[in-house]
Amino acid sequence: MSAKPPEGQSPPADGTLPAAALAELPRHAFGIYIHVPYCATRCGYCDFNTYTAAELGGGASAATFATTASAEIRLAARVLGPGAPAVDTVFFGGGTPTLLPPADLAALVCAVDDAFGLRPGAEVTTEANPESVDAAALEQLRAAGLTRVSFGMQSARPHVLAALDRQHTPGRLPDVVDWARKAGFEQVSVDLIYGAPGESERDWAASLDAAVDLAPDHVSAYALTVEEGTKLARRVRRGELLETDDDQLADRYIQADETLQAAGLAAYEVSNWASGPEAWCRHNMGYWRGATWWGIGPGAHSHVGGVRWWNVRHPTEYTQRLRAGQSPAQARETVSPADRHVERVMLGVRLAEGLPVVELTPGGLAAVDDLVASGLADPAGLAAGRISLTRQGRLLTDTVVRALLPDL
């Protein structure tokens, strides 16, 4: 959902997909991503497709989003046709999905169920800022069928949150996690960011300890990226803030892995830790395993059978297209078999389950022994026919990928 989508080709106005893409539908898990593009304020580091009320002005209102997004869900059902599988996962991202009333998120879950059907045990996740929910809202969301909530914690230190332009107070996290548990959410996750300007090793340790004290099922921890065009990038460029260097980021990652592993949270993907396979984010696993998903909402991206497309970004244009009975897709591309192979390697090595060796070309296979010898790949994984990374390998994922894809 970054600010710079690729160029792509013009899609048909009705969103029709090639028969070859539709033929792949039964082979993969099917997820629905719903991008809610509204935020109370804009965080200084964020380059996602999000809007505050002031930025939208008289544009498409959050009050009409559920109705408009439901129209795209119905469009998706028409395009995919009777061969569409039931939905395995639904993920509300943003933006701040929980700025919408719980009844709106419930209506969208119903729209997905009406259009496709939800598989028994489907995972239904929403992201949430701690300030955007209370106990009553979480109870309503759980009653509406949501099973998983991911809270944007980012840091436990007020000065780090201030550097990120985050609005919540650290002390609210224990309350919202407790409310989510009492509401009956099956899984509770927290998101962290490390490497913010002014964050010390002690600050990061405090954030990790605070996250562990919440006893979550799942933790995501991402290195801060200073994206061009953001407020944070402008402050770094002016010298107001210092960007964290790569060696410090590596130290923060090791610190996170040690702390989370000690708390019983194992890394199942480079930036994600969970208490066990039942707590893995199944929706994101679909992305990493090359599954099928339809992205609903302004700027949302989709993938079906090697065809990728992305919606127009502004909520007003998104709404206008759907009201006119047209697809909101801005452009699309058909991914070549060679590029799909590259993506399988790039994403597969990020997973603790590893990349099957059979995915590698002879050139990639020739690099495997060196990766094991240098401590980047696990010898036990290789003996089982998979390339799985050690902690050092996770730190050097790009190096591993280049070795496994020597023809790039």
Side-chain angles (χ1 to χ4, degrees):
M1 301 297 302
S2 105
K4 297 178 181 178
E7 294 294 329
Q9 301 171 336
S10 296
D14 62 0
T16 302
L17 291 171
L22 297 177
E24 290 196 29
L25 282 171
R27 305 179 200 168
H28 304 287
F30 180 38
I32 297 286
Y33 172 75
I34 302 178
H35 182 67
V36 181
Y38 307 105
C39 284
T41 59
R42 180 179 292 279
C43 298
Y45 63 91
C46 179
D47 75 335
F48 283 12
N49 186 42
T50 60
Y51 304 85
T52 65
E55 289 169 330
L56 279 176
S61 166
T64 62
F65 179 80
T67 299
T68 308
S70 294
E72 189 182 0
I73 292 168
R74 293 191 296 272
L75 170 73
R78 291 195 301 271
V79 170
L80 298 183
V87 171
D88 296 275
T89 63
V90 179
F91 194 106
F92 290 96
T96 307
T98 44
L99 284 182
L100 297 182
D104 284 5
L105 297 186
L108 287 166
V109 174
C110 288
V112 171
D113 196 20
D114 289 344
F116 296 102
L118 288 169
R119 287 197 189 279
E123 174 192 271
V124 184
T125 301
T126 187
E127 296 177 338
N129 285 352
E131 302 289 349
S132 68
V133 291
D134 56 22
L138 288 164
E139 288 174 1
Q140 292 172 63
L141 292 171
R142 182 67 189 97
L146 279 82
T147 65
R148 186 175 182 276
V149 60
S150 180
F151 291 114
M153 175 180 174
Q154 316 314 355
S155 176
R157 294 296 207 194
H159 72 275
V160 176
L161 293 171
L164 296 171
D165 286 324
R166 297 287 295 183
Q167 297 299 308
H168 74 267
T169 53
R172 189 169 174 84
L173 261 297
D175 288 338
V176 295
V177 169
D178 182 56
W179 295 335
R181 294 291 189 199
K182 288 178 178 175
F185 276 88
E186 296 171 17
Q187 295 172 7
V188 176
S189 177
V190 295
D191 287 356
L192 298 171
I193 291 178
Y194 57 92
E199 179 190 64
S200 67
E201 179 180 340
R202 181 175 296 181
D203 292 331
W204 182 228
S207 295
L208 290 167
D209 290 342
V212 166
D213 287 345
L214 298 172
D217 308 282
H218 185 284
V219 172
S220 299
Y222 301 103
L224 178 67
T225 301
V226 179
E227 301 286 359
E228 282 302 317
T230 62
K231 178 182 175 182
L232 178 62
R234 292 190 292 273
R235 296 185 69 190
V236 168
R237 189 166 55 248
R238 291 194 298 262
E240 297 173 17
L241 297 173
L242 291 179
E243 192 170 357
T244 305
D245 66 38
D246 289 344
D247 288 340
Q248 289 176 312
L249 291 176
D251 290 342
R252 300 286 189 274
Y253 182 85
I254 292 170
Q255 194 177 352
D257 195 45
E258 290 175 345
T259 300
L260 296 173
Q261 296 273 9
L265 298 166
Y268 71 97
E269 192 271 345
V270 169
S271 300
N272 289 273
W273 290 258
S275 58
E278 70 286 347
W280 294 356
C281 178
R282 286 159 47 194
H283 186 83
N284 287 343
M285 286 296 290
Y287 295 151
W288 298 321
R289 288 172 171 166
T292 291
W293 72 91
W294 190 297
I296 304 292
H301 287 230
S302 304
H303 170 259
V304 174
V307 178
R308 277 198 294 250
W309 67 96
W310 43 99
N311 287 347
V312 295
R313 296 175 58 78
H314 200 280
T316 299
E317 185 178 2
Y318 173 78
T319 301
Q320 289 171 345
R321 290 202 182 193
L322 284 162
R323 285 178 178 171
Q326 297 178 351
S327 165
Q330 174 182 330
R332 79 182 188 192
E333 63 184 1
T334 299
V335 187
S336 69
D339 285 344
R340 294 181 80 176
H341 164 73
V342 168
E343 291 178 1
R344 285 196 300 273
V345 173
M346 292 177 66
L347 296 174
V349 296
R350 296 182 63 87
L351 297 174
E353 68 186 23
L355 174 76
V357 171
V358 294
E359 290 282 0
L360 298 176
T361 64
L365 280 170
V368 170
D369 288 342
D370 285 344
L371 292 173
V372 172
S374 60
L376 302 182
D378 178 24
L382 182 59
R386 308 182 79 86
I387 308 298
S388 53
L389 302 185
T390 61
R391 178 187 288 160
Q392 186 66 18
R394 283 182 267 141
L395 281 170
L396 298 171
T397 302
D398 290 346
T399 298
V400 174
V401 168
R402 286 194 294 271
L404 297 177
L405 295 169
D407 297 329
L408 281 188

